[in-house]
Amino acid sequence: MHKNSTITINKEAHKKNIDFIKKTFGNKVILSSVVKGNAYGHGLAEFSKMAYSNGVTHFSVFDVEEAKIVFDTLGKKVTILIMGFVADDDLKWVIQNNIEFFVFERYRLAKATKTAKKLKQKAIIHIEVETGMNRTGFDIKTISKVAQFIIKEKESIYFKGLCTHYAGAESIANYYRVSKQIEIFNKADQIIKSHGIEPEIRHSACSAASMMFPETRMDLVRVGILQYGLWPSPEVLVSYLNTKKKKIDPLERVISWKSEVMSVKRVKSGEFIGYGTSFMARENMKIATIPLGYSHGYSRSLSNQGRVLINGQRCMLIGTVNMNMLTIDVTEVEHVKKGDEVVLIGKQDALSLSVASFSDLSNQLNYELLTRISKTIPRQTI
Ligand SMILES: *Cc1c(COP(=O)(O)O)cnc(C)c1O
């Protein structure tokens, strides 16, 4: 088992985020917890269990593999929605277990209907509309045909949702594009209504859209990044603070990542540290090594840039990030010794390292940095 580092997820912080989200949306809107990408690196099984204990009963995942982990963890107590990939031979398991899924092409619509017929069960589907992201979804021109198909196959199809996804609601630069998407989505909804049928729910918003375009909340919001206590972009946070005339970020980071000092050594002025010549000691230095590297998801682009907390002090990562090791400058830190706690994300004494400060350094999004954190690192709920 991996002992080099531990990740903890904080139940109280998550509860606080969920309460904020629910208060913002009102209680008519269903909150679907988006847990794709190993729950944004938080650990899918551990995170979904914790979210459930905080009152979340709806989960959105990307594929069947993730759906199975949530299903094995929480079973039939929750609704599971697959937003992305379902292999043909997994459709049977999906339909049998009432797992809901996005349908974005005729092929899948037909295949799902056929499988449902065989099982004498209904496939619970969410029709995804192509509104301008140009990734997946039925073109507006085909929506009429889709409606007719659903009417014809109503014994095998449960038309649960109509949905879409926005192409970059976290940036005001995309305002026009997203507004256009909302219009097209509403048009698709009208076309379906004109056939005398309706989905049970409509949904379109991710975290950013739900904050920047409140009209996109509809019946359900697929909330990813916000529930983890992070903002989709600084713009969304600033916009929230401005409109609410608030100064304090209402969210709290759920994840912490900690390791320990593996060894301490002295390096003479003029020596290079680590591979190659990217870092030369300009004075006599004291270096601590940490048993983590890019194989654990610590990005190599943080070479000579990352920061960690040791003995309550902020310390610089020096040299390149290795496969399994980091070297940290602890020249100014007194009494550093093997076994001392190292914080990569989280708090130590009065200081705190956020995911954002960490990822801004390397121009990565919060999202990417989190999901890279290796699955082999144990997750604990506190
Ligand atoms: C990832 C994802 C979301 C959640 O996005 P956040 O920005 O993390 O809230 C919502 N909908 C779809 C289709 C997604 O892929």
Side-chain angles (χ1 to χ4, degrees):
M1 191 165 111
H2 171 102
K3 290 185 180 163
N4 315 26
S5 69
T6 13
I7 285 173
T8 44
I9 51 174
N10 185 324
K11 185 177 160 182
E12 247 171 67
H14 181 258
K15 181 79 170 69
K16 187 175 155 187
N17 301 337
I18 292 294
D19 287 348
F20 165 75
I21 294 163
K22 283 189 173 160
K23 209 174 101 205
T24 308
F25 298 168
N27 49 20
K28 284 207 194 87
V29 179
I30 302 166
L31 188 164
S32 182
S33 164
V34 178
V35 289
K36 65 188 182 200
N38 198 28
Y40 292 43
H42 290 60
L44 183 46
E46 297 83 353
F47 185 85
S48 46
K49 199 191 268 174
M50 182 193 75
Y52 179 74
S53 70
N54 278 337
V56 174
T57 56
H58 199 295
F59 291 89
S60 293
V61 297
F62 178 72
D63 56 24
V64 174
E65 187 193 342
E66 293 171 341
K68 284 188 170 163
I69 296 174
V70 179
F71 189 77
D72 289 345
T73 309
L74 297 167
K76 305 203 162 164
K77 296 183 285 197
V78 298
T79 305
I80 302 170
L81 171 59
I82 300 174
M83 306 183 291
F85 185 64
V86 180
D88 286 347
D89 52 6
D90 283 328
L91 265 175
K92 189 175 158 201
W93 179 84
V94 168
I95 294 170
Q96 266 176 335
N97 291 294
N98 293 322
I99 307 294
E100 306 185 7
F101 55 106
F102 279 29
V103 171
F104 43 76
E105 54 178 14
R106 291 184 64 150
Y107 175 82
R108 193 186 270 190
L109 190 56
K111 201 89 188 166
T113 310
K114 212 167 134 195
T115 311
K117 269 189 190 144
K118 252 193 233 152
L119 293 168
K120 297 192 168 57
Q121 244 183 298
K122 283 190 182 182
I124 311 174
I125 66 165
H126 294 243
I127 295 292
E128 185 185 6
V129 186
E130 172 58 72
T131 55
M133 172 119 176
N134 291 314
R135 196 170 67 174
T136 47
F138 284 102
D139 200 89
I140 187 90
K141 289 195 224 84
T142 64
I143 292 295
S144 209
K145 283 237 164 61
V146 172
Q148 286 163 15
F149 187 92
I150 292 172
I151 293 167
K152 183 161 79 75
E153 301 291 352
K154 63 177 185 296
E155 299 305 319
S156 319
I157 294 174
Y158 176 2
F159 184 22
K160 180 79 183 272
L162 187 72
C163 59
T164 194
H165 188 50
Y166 299 111
E170 71 284 351
S171 170
I172 206 77
N174 300 324
Y175 182 83
Y176 179 75
R177 187 172 173 197
V178 172
S179 305
K180 213 71 208 150
Q181 286 191 271
I182 299 171
E183 241 173 70
I184 295 174
F185 184 76
N186 290 335
K187 208 179 278 171
D189 190 30
Q190 288 305 321
I191 293 172
I192 285 176
K193 265 198 201 129
S194 75
H195 286 271
I197 55 167
E198 268 194 74
E200 195 173 297
I201 57 172
R202 292 162 187 83
H203 53 104
S204 65
C206 56
S207 297
S210 74
M211 300 305 289
M212 303 294 266
F213 302 83
E215 72 270 34
T216 64
R217 290 175 196 159
M218 305 177 193
D219 303 306
L220 175 149
V221 177
R222 305 182 303 260
V223 185
I225 201 85
L226 283 178
Q227 67 170 323
Y228 302 104
L230 306 165
W231 291 83
S233 68
E235 260 175 89
V236 180
L237 170 60
V238 170
S239 151
Y240 166 80
L241 295 175
N242 280 342
T243 48
K244 296 284 172 195
K245 307 240 176 305
K246 297 223 155 114
K247 292 212 169 67
I248 300 167
D249 182 350
L251 301 176
E252 199 173 310
R253 189 191 52 248
V254 172
I255 196 170
S256 304
W257 190 11
K258 289 178 186 166
S259 182
E260 60 180 78
V261 172
M262 183 167 98
S263 80
V264 182
K265 71 153 60 214
R266 302 224 170 237
V267 177
K268 284 221 166 67
S269 173
E271 296 274 320
F272 293 109
I273 294 170
Y275 288 118
T277 53
S278 80
F279 189 91
M280 186 181 79
R282 287 208 232 146
E283 52 178 356
N284 290 339
M285 291 180 82
K286 190 166 61 172
I287 304 301
T289 49
I290 316 301
L292 279 183
Y294 58 78
S295 75
H296 307 103
Y298 195 97
S299 176
R300 212 171 164 276
S301 55
L302 291 165
S303 295
N304 284 308
Q305 296 198 63
R307 279 169 215 158
V308 302
L309 303 176
I310 299 177
N311 287 2
Q313 273 176 256
R314 228 178 273 279
C315 306
M316 286 297 295
L317 192 164
I318 53 173
T320 51
V321 172
N322 295 177
M323 188 187 286
N324 312 89
M325 254 193 274
L326 305 174
T327 39
I328 309 291
D329 176 8
V330 290
T331 310
E332 304 294 323
V333 188
E334 278 176 53
H335 314 300
V336 186
K337 59 182 189 311
K338 189 180 159 87
D340 281 354
E341 181 191 76
V342 178
V343 171
L344 304 138
I345 303 172
K347 277 192 193 135
Q348 195 178 61
D349 301 340
L351 292 180
S352 174
L353 272 187
S354 69
V355 182
S357 69
F358 192 55
S359 57
D360 282 348
L361 283 173
S362 66
N363 294 319
Q364 284 184 59
L365 295 166
N366 280 334
Y367 298 78
E368 189 183 340
L369 189 115
L370 286 173
T371 48
R372 274 176 180 221
I373 301 175
S374 167
K375 282 185 188 170
T376 57
I377 302 170
R379 269 75 171 169
Q380 276 169 5
T381 308
I382 52 160

